[in-house]
Amino acid sequence: MNWLYVVPISQDSFEVLDDRWSSAKDFWCAAADYARASGLDGVRKRLYIVDPLGASKTTDGVKGVVFTVTPDDAMKNTPSSYSVSVKRRNENLAIGHAYNFCDNLLEEVFGGF
């Protein structure tokens, strides 16, 4: 939705690649959009950061953030996030919450309806 590339890593994890201008909201939007388009969303599903913003795990020369929808036990015990950051492992947001950042993007691009 926001033109950031997403690279699948496994059945339930993927990396969102930075385009040098990406904000934290852009990463969360792309992750939520990918999760929804791939059928990874569901009732009360959350996105978790496995690897925070840093050197890409899948693509040379760029930065990325690795997300998962299947957290390990340590991630499950991490409190829900209210801040919007991609700099800390285990940060997590509901997919629906993260997808709301895409709605803001659409309004910025196309204006109010």
Side-chain angles (χ1 to χ4, degrees):
M1 172 156 320
N2 64 1
W3 303 285
L4 293 184
Y5 288 102
V6 179
V7 181
I9 293 176
S10 69
Q11 184 176 356
D12 57 2
S13 66
F14 50 90
E15 182 173 40
V16 178
L17 302 177
D18 189 6
D19 70 356
R20 294 186 180 185
W21 307 104
S22 305
S23 70
K25 288 181 179 182
D26 294 333
F27 282 101
W28 286 103
C29 165
D33 186 43
Y34 178 82
R36 290 177 69 167
S38 301
L40 299 175
D41 62 333
V43 177
R44 298 189 190 129
K45 279 274 192 165
R46 302 186 73 76
L47 290 165
Y48 293 81
I49 294 180
V50 176
D51 289 310
L53 184 61
S56 171
K57 308 295 185 232
T58 62
T59 307
D60 291 335
V62 298
K63 292 183 177 185
V65 178
V66 177
F67 292 89
T68 189
V69 294
T70 308
D72 60 25
D73 288 338
M75 287 180 175
K76 286 180 188 176
N77 294 325
T78 303
S80 299
S81 301
Y82 295 100
S83 65
V84 182
S85 174
V86 291
K87 295 182 179 180
R88 292 182 298 269
R89 178 177 164 76
N90 299 344
E91 286 290 324
N92 61 92
L93 290 173
I95 292 173
H97 182 168
Y99 193 76
N100 284 331
F101 300 136
C102 299
D103 292 340
N104 294 340
L105 173 70
L106 287 174
E107 190 168 312
E108 288 174 21
V109 173
F110 297 109
F113 294 98

